[in-house]
């Protein structure tokens, strides 16, 4: 649910805002409203400092230090030291690669004396160097020209022609130096690089200093950006700031502000203030807040969709996977992710999705694409399994449609409640009419199918629901319009709602289709493995059997998990959000605090 926020309006003399913001940063609970002012010289300088430190940290982390390199410690400013060594590391790396390429090129021409070549040129003996593909090289050239083949590669031939000029293809410039000279230059460059590596190794050990400097720069930037939101009043002598904190922290914030001695006005935040949004949910629902943030947080007077997403995304994901064995695999992956720092926050969500998949897979009686309903061990609990046929249709298909109808009915109910809360009863009669007609009709139809209501009673209830709903939809849908305009708009809404709802309900068939596709593909891998194994009498065949089955199911788990994430997300973001009237108009709660 959306946490209630308290609005704090601070009044202070101009020049005191910096001290206040530093105190608020120590409290770590107040979100200062920031304006959309363009970057000025000060903020640009602070942002540039953060960007520079980011680049230095990134450069040092990417520098590869071979084992056995002893750090060469250098005192001095770590920023200047790191910047200079990263530049030298980059320049030396590029230079060494170029020299190695040149040495390799010169080796193909063999050993020669550059001075002797220059002397021959001065004496009028001209040398022409050529590189040509083997298929274009002609042996007859050796008879026509003073030609000497220097080396032959896999696809090329290098040769030299002596003479004033020749018309042979592939002429290249003469080598500028010998292999020995270029190797000597390479060795010198490597020695210089070794010194750079020792200094880089020393700088890498001081990365925590750079990270601390980066954090201080970020805090300065945060303080400055918060400070420039101050609104001047009373001829530039008084400054006001606005901040927000969760109402549940009122006592802590108030106590801290009273100690500071600042003048402030405390009041309940209103939707028109556009306060930041933070959630107050239990542990289970909190794991799914990341999905809500992918779409956007609600307005302050809206509703938190996370509790609904937590239940239905888990259900939809489990139905799309539809395999208890795959659920166990996800649980194992989730437990392993707890040991990976960058993914440990996602580990509980993966374990939850795996647990839901195990339960759904058992209900669908599928374990690694094997029908466990055929196992004798599960005969006492077969009544828990989903029937293959319900009313002459596939059980999974019927289940998907029923789940979709429930999901949409819940969305319409939420929309009606939210509309009454925000707009009032009079302006919500049209929404209430549609909710009564569809949700009430579904409930009555369900009781009738279950035999709870007789056909006569069902008929009169449907008539009553239809009449009351029609009044809201066609007559009282907008109290500010005349009745004829309302009727016209009611007809237009009827067309859109009927056609839209039909498509929305059919969208839930993807739950059945994805589960069926994953199950069929898994069965195909099982069948191929069985064909390889045969009757199992040959122990050697167990090796290709296991390889085929493991690789097949690994691929299938990956593809199923991708589809089981994307499509349930779509059903929540499109079908549910559209029919519930959800709007992502809020902003995240980001209190000013020290990291």
């Amino acid at each position: 649910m959306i946490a209630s926020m308290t609005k704090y309006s601070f009044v202070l003399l101009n020049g005191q805002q910096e001290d206040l913001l530093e105190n608020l940063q120590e409290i770590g609970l107040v979100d200062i409203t920031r304006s959309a002012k363009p970057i000025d010289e000060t903020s640009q300088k602070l942002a540039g400092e953060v960007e520079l430190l980011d680049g230095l940290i990134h450069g040092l982390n990417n520098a590869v230090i071979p084992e056995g390199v002893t750090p060469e410690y250098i005192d001095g400013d770590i920023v200047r030291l790191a910047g200079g060594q990263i530049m030298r590391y980059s320049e030396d790396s590029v230079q060494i690669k170029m020299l190695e390429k040149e040495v390799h090129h010169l080796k193909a021409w063999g050993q020669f004396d550059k001075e002797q070549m220059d002397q021959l040129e001065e004496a009028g003996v001209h040398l022409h160097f050529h590189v040509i593909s083997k298929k274009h090289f002609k042996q007859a050239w050796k008879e026509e020209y003073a030609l000497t083949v220097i080396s032959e590669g896999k696809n090329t031939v290098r040769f030299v022609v002596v003479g004033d000029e020749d018309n042979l293809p592939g002429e290249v410039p003469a080598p500028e130096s010998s292999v020995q000279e270029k190797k000597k230059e390479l060795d010198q460059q490597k020695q210089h690089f070794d010194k750079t590596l020792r200094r880089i190794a020393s700088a890498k050990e001081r990365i925590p200093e750079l990270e601390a400097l980066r954090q201080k720069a970020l805090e300065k930037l945060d303080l400055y950006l918060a400070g420039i939101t101050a609104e001047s009043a009373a001829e530039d002598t008084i400054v006001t700031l606005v901040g927000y904190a969760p109402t549940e922290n009122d006592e802590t914030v108030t106590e801290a502000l009273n100690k500071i001695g600042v003048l402030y006005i405390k009041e309940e935040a209103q939707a028109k203030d556009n306060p930041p949004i933070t959630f107050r949910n239990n542990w289970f629902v909190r794991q799914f807040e990341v999905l809500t943030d992918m779409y956007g947080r609600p307005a302050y007077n809206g509703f938190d969709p996370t509790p609904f997403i937590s239940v239905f995304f888990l259900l939809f994901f489990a139905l799309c996977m539809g395999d208890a064995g795959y659920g166990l695999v996800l649980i194992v992956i989730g437990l392993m992710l707890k040991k990976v720092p960058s993914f440990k926050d996602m580990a509980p969500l993966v374990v939850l999705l795996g647990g839901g998949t195990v339960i759904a897979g058992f209900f669908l009686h599928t374990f690694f694409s094997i029908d466990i309903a055929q196992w004798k061990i599960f005969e006492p609990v077969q009544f828990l399994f989903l029937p293959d046929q319900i009313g002459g249709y596939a059980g999974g298909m019927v289940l998907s449609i029923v789940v979709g109808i429930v999901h949409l009915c819940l969305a319409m109910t939420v929309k009606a409640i939210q509309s009454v809360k925000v707009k009032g009863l009079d302006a919500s009669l049209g929404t209430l009419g549609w909710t009564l007609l569809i949700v009430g009709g579904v409930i009555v139809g369900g009781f009738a199918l279950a035999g709870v209501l007789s056909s006569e009673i069902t008929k009169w209830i449907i008539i009553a629901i239809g009449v009351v709903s029609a009044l809201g939809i066609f007559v009282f849908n907008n109290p500010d319009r005349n009745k004829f305009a309302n009727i016209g708009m009611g007809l237009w809404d009827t067309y859109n709602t009927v056609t839209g709802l039909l498509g929305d309900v059919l969208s839930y068939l993807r739950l059945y289709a994805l589960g069926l596709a994953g199950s069929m593909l898994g069965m195909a891998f099982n069948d191929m493995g069985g064909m390889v194994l045969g009757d199992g009498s040959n122990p050697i065949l167990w090796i290709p059997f296991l390889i085929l089955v493991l690789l097949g199911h690994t691929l299938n788990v990956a593809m199923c998990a991708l589809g089981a994430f994307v499509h349930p997300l779509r059903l929540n973001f499109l079908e549910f959000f559209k029919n519930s009237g959800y709007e992502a108009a809020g902003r995240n709660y980001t209190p000013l605090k020290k990291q």
Side-chain angles (χ1 to χ4, degrees):
M1 60 182 296
I2 299 174
S4 299
M5 302 296 286
T6 299
K7 178 181 178 181
Y8 296 88
S9 299
F10 302 99
V11 181
L12 58 160
L13 293 176
N14 194 5
Q16 294 180 337
Q17 58 264 37
E18 185 174 347
D19 292 336
L20 171 63
L21 293 171
E22 288 180 354
N23 286 313
L24 293 179
Q25 196 173 44
E26 294 291 341
I27 299 173
L29 292 172
V30 183
D31 183 310
I32 296 296
T33 301
R34 290 160 171 77
S35 65
K37 293 184 178 181
I39 295 178
D40 57 14
E41 184 178 352
T42 303
S43 57
Q44 190 173 16
K45 181 180 177 182
L46 290 171
E49 185 177 344
V50 174
E51 186 176 358
L52 169 63
L53 292 167
D54 276 336
L56 294 177
I57 295 170
H58 181 74
L60 289 176
N61 283 325
N62 285 345
V64 180
I65 307 298
E67 293 184 8
V69 174
T70 303
E72 180 182 328
Y73 294 98
I74 302 177
D75 294 330
D77 181 18
I78 181 58
V79 175
R80 183 174 298 177
L81 171 64
Q85 297 310 314
I86 289 173
M87 185 177 297
R88 290 187 181 91
Y89 178 87
S90 177
E91 292 174 350
D92 287 353
S93 299
V94 173
Q95 191 67 21
I96 286 174
K97 288 181 180 179
M98 291 176 59
L99 290 172
E100 287 176 341
K101 188 178 294 185
E102 290 181 21
V103 168
H104 177 74
H105 172 71
L106 290 172
K107 279 183 178 180
W109 290 109
Q111 304 292 338
F112 61 89
D113 190 330
K114 186 70 169 58
E115 292 184 4
Q116 290 183 355
M117 289 177 55
D118 292 340
Q119 291 174 1
L120 290 173
E121 285 290 333
E122 292 177 1
V125 180
H126 303 293
L127 302 178
H128 303 275
F129 293 78
H130 294 263
V131 179
I132 193 171
S133 64
K134 278 188 174 181
K135 65 178 181 179
H136 291 119
F137 181 76
K138 298 178 181 180
Q139 295 295 331
W141 291 345
K142 295 180 179 180
E143 304 296 332
E144 299 177 21
Y145 301 93
L147 182 150
T148 301
V149 175
I150 303 299
S151 65
E152 293 189 29
K154 184 178 180 180
N155 298 312
T156 59
V157 177
R158 285 178 169 82
F159 59 91
V160 176
V161 177
V162 180
D164 292 337
E165 61 179 35
D166 66 66
N167 298 320
L168 298 179
E171 184 169 2
V172 295
E176 294 294 329
S177 61
S178 64
V179 178
Q180 292 86 347
E181 293 173 343
K182 195 59 67 175
K183 280 185 175 180
K184 184 178 179 181
E185 187 178 349
L186 175 61
D187 290 339
Q188 291 175 347
Q189 190 66 49
K190 285 183 176 180
Q191 290 176 5
H192 186 272
F193 188 55
D194 289 341
K195 184 176 181 180
T196 302
L197 286 175
R198 292 195 298 272
R199 294 185 174 183
I200 281 282
S202 173
K204 284 174 75 75
E205 294 180 352
R206 297 177 65 182
I207 286 179
E209 295 181 39
L210 290 172
E211 292 175 340
L213 290 173
R214 177 186 178 277
Q215 189 56 49
K216 288 181 180 179
L218 275 175
E219 290 177 1
K220 288 180 181 178
L221 179 61
D222 201 16
L223 281 171
Y224 180 75
L225 291 177
I228 62 173
T229 63
E231 298 177 3
S232 297
E235 296 183 357
D236 240 5
T237 59
I238 295 177
V239 172
T240 60
L241 287 172
V242 177
Y244 298 90
T247 303
E248 61 184 0
N249 299 123
D250 275 357
E251 185 176 347
T252 303
V253 176
T254 302
E255 182 180 352
L257 292 177
N258 290 337
K259 288 182 179 179
I260 297 172
V262 65
L263 176 60
Y264 66 92
I265 301 171
K266 172 184 170 185
E267 58 186 324
E268 182 181 348
Q270 304 294 326
K272 63 182 180 180
D273 299 324
N274 190 28
I277 305 299
T278 185
F279 297 133
R280 190 172 70 246
N281 294 313
N282 58 41
W283 178 87
F284 172 77
V285 176
R286 278 201 305 273
Q287 308 311 314
F288 296 85
E289 288 179 358
V290 63
L291 303 181
T292 300
D293 286 338
M294 289 175 65
Y295 191 87
R297 296 208 169 184
Y300 189 64
N301 61 348
F303 68 96
D304 178 11
T306 314
F308 305 104
I309 291 177
S310 64
V311 174
F312 284 97
F313 181 85
L314 177 58
L315 174 62
F316 296 163
F317 183 94
L319 291 177
C320 287
M321 294 294 289
D323 192 297
Y326 291 177
L328 294 175
V329 172
L330 290 176
I331 291 175
V332 172
I333 293 174
L335 295 175
M336 292 173 63
L337 288 177
K338 288 185 177 181
K339 300 180 180 180
V340 182
S342 56
F343 291 100
K344 65 180 181 180
D345 292 339
M346 295 296 296
L349 177 59
V350 176
V351 172
L352 284 174
L353 296 176
T357 302
V358 170
I359 297 173
F362 177 80
F363 179 65
L364 298 172
H365 47 89
T366 304
F367 184 82
F368 286 110
S369 301
I370 301 173
D371 187 0
I372 61 176
Q374 308 300 323
W375 297 0
K376 290 185 178 181
I377 190 175
F378 292 112
E379 285 183 358
V381 294
Q382 283 200 358
F383 66 93
L384 296 175
F385 294 159
L386 178 70
D388 292 334
Q389 296 286 322
I390 299 178
Y393 298 95
M397 181 185 298
V398 175
L399 175 64
S400 299
I401 293 296
V402 171
V403 168
I405 292 174
V406 172
H407 197 218
L408 293 176
C409 287
L410 179 61
M412 298 190 71
T413 303
V414 170
K415 182 178 182 179
I417 295 173
Q418 190 66 20
S419 179
V420 173
K421 176 184 174 182
V422 176
K423 300 178 182 179
L425 181 62
D426 291 345
S428 305
L429 291 178
T431 302
L432 290 172
W434 279 114
T435 304
L436 176 63
L437 179 64
I438 296 173
V439 178
V442 168
I443 294 174
V444 172
F447 281 129
L449 290 174
V452 177
L453 298 176
S454 66
S455 58
E456 187 67 20
I457 295 177
T458 302
K459 180 182 70 173
W460 285 108
I461 294 178
I462 292 296
I463 291 174
I465 289 176
V467 171
V468 175
S469 300
L471 290 174
I473 295 170
F474 295 104
V475 180
F476 302 110
N477 55 54
N478 191 330
D480 297 329
R481 287 197 300 248
N482 64 62
K483 298 300 182 286
F484 293 104
N486 281 346
I487 292 174
M489 289 304 300
L491 291 173
W492 178 247
D493 288 342
T494 300
Y495 169 77
N496 290 328
T497 302
V498 172
T499 56
L501 276 177
L502 179 61
D504 291 344
V505 171
L506 293 178
S507 290
Y508 290 85
L509 284 174
R510 71 186 67 237
L511 301 176
Y512 167 68
L514 288 169
L516 179 62
S519 178
M520 296 298 291
L521 188 56
M523 289 173 60
F525 287 120
N526 290 341
D527 290 342
M528 287 189 290
M531 293 169 62
V532 171
L533 182 62
D535 58 4
S537 58
N538 188 347
I540 297 179
L541 295 178
W542 281 92
I543 298 176
F545 164 76
L546 291 174
I547 293 175
L548 178 60
V549 172
L550 287 174
L551 288 178
H553 281 290
T554 300
L555 177 63
N556 199 25
V557 167
M559 292 192 298
C560 288
L562 178 61
F565 179 82
V566 172
H567 290 279
L569 207 60
R570 179 196 184 280
L571 292 174
N572 280 280
F573 284 180
L574 293 185
E575 273 67 28
F576 184 81
F577 282 3
K578 177 181 69 175
N579 288 283
S580 65
Y582 177 76
E583 293 183 4
R587 59 189 179 90
N588 287 9
Y589 166 65
T590 53
L592 189 66
K593 60 182 179 181
K594 289 185 178 294
Q595 301 296 332

